[in-house]
Amino acid sequence: MRILHLTDTHISAADPSGGPVLHQGRIDARAALDGVLTRLADIGPLDAVVHSGDASDDGSEDSYRHLERVIGDFARAHGAEHTIAMGNHDVPAGWNAATGLPTVRCQRVGDGRIITLDTSVPRAGYGHVGAEQREEVAAILTESVDGPTIAVLHHPPFPVTSRLFQALSLDGLDELRELLEGRVDLILSGHLHAATSGRLGSVPVHVAPGIVNVTDPSAALAGEAGEKEVALGLSGASLVDVGADGCRIQSFHWPNAGDTGEVTEPVYSFDADTITRIVEAAGRK
């Protein structure tokens, strides 16, 4: 199964005046997505295009209609299925109203399948997969398939080192591991805005770099750990090949096509006080 893995587009509703809506006051998120897809226009045939969440920044129906059209058109041009997961900035009701699609679903892709989960928690930045959703996914997994099973969820299901992302991490890892281990071949996630790998039990997890920006994981390690978060004016994506002999993943980064600022300057640089405010507003108390 050949998959293009996209994540963290953070697109908002269009400005009625026709001007760009700038994420973090700097990035034209729609142009950033267009730039990535233009770079990948000649990527060749794909089986699936996967977006692992924070698709929208404002949860608006307009943002979801735009994403479904742009990503859907790209996928169809490459002979692929496509799916978009919900992240902490997403609003499932807006997604459903715009697309008519549920946030938890299973799509057959060749002799395999892609299962999309919803880790969003209303008005919070951390993630959770509730008992009802786990039961729904468990029922899906009772059906066997000959090919690989890929799970897509926004919040990475493994511990992270950053203080900010610890507060915005995924709850219930033990329950999720019990649900997916031995039944899923690979988990694709977003949220961290940087290419990262980990495991949920024995299941490999890949986090793709963000499209609206790419975070610098080394910033959280400098000085006092967890006291700084930095994002760069880059965009990225990953190409995932899953076969009988294993999995190969390549991650790419380019200058952000939607960047209206100075490329040498970070898109943002959060100090300890800013991180604390974000954690208190959107994370766990």
Side-chain angles (χ1 to χ4, degrees), residues 117-141:
L117 283 73
D118 180 356
T119 60
S120 65
V121 176
R123 298 174 297 281
Y126 65 90
H128 183 73
V129 178
E132 183 177 342
Q133 185 177 168
R134 293 198 304 272
E135 289 176 6
E136 184 177 353
V137 173
I140 292 169
L141 291 170

Side-chain angles (χ1 to χ4, degrees), residues 86-154:
M86 297 290 97
N88 50 290
H89 282 267
D90 288 301
V91 177
W95 161 262
N96 182 260
T99 67
L101 296 170
T103 59
V104 180
R105 56 199 178 278
C106 177
Q107 295 162 271
R108 292 298 297 263
V109 178
D111 59 358
R113 62 188 166 190
I114 294 177
I115 301 173
T116 306
L117 283 73
D118 180 356
T119 60
S120 65
V121 176
R123 298 174 297 281
Y126 65 90
H128 183 73
V129 178
E132 183 177 342
Q133 185 177 168
R134 293 198 304 272
E135 289 176 6
E136 184 177 353
V137 173
I140 292 169
L141 291 170
T142 59
E143 180 184 353
S144 62
V145 292
D146 293 330
T149 294
I150 313 297
V152 183
L153 60 157
H154 181 64

Side-chain angles (χ1 to χ4, degrees), residues 5 19 34 58 61 82 106 115 161 186 193 205 229 232 249 257 281:
H5 182 191
D34 290 345
D58 61 1
E61 294 181 32
H82 72 284
C106 177
I115 301 173
T161 56
L186 176 67
H193 288 236
V205 181
E229 294 284 344
L232 308 175
I249 300 173

Side-chain angles (χ1 to χ4, degrees), residues 10-26:
H10 286 268
I11 286 174
S12 296
D15 188 326
S17 71
V21 177
L22 301 182
H23 182 69
Q24 297 289 341
R26 173 166 155 179

Side-chain angles (χ1 to χ4, degrees), residues 36 49 56 62 77 83 93 123 133 180 215 217-218 240 242:
V36 166
V49 178
S56 173
D62 179 66
T83 190
R123 298 174 297 281
Q133 185 177 168
L180 301 182
T215 56
S218 69
V240 180
V242 184

Side-chain angles (χ1 to χ4, degrees), residues 36-71:
V36 166
L37 296 183
T38 297
R39 290 267 190 176
L40 295 167
D42 297 326
I43 198 170
L46 297 165
D47 296 300
V49 178
V50 162
H51 188 310
S52 57
D54 276 3
S56 173
D57 199 56
D58 61 1
S60 63
E61 294 181 32
D62 179 66
S63 65
Y64 292 124
R65 284 192 291 267
H66 179 82
L67 281 158
E68 182 68 11
R69 177 180 60 80
V70 172
I71 293 176

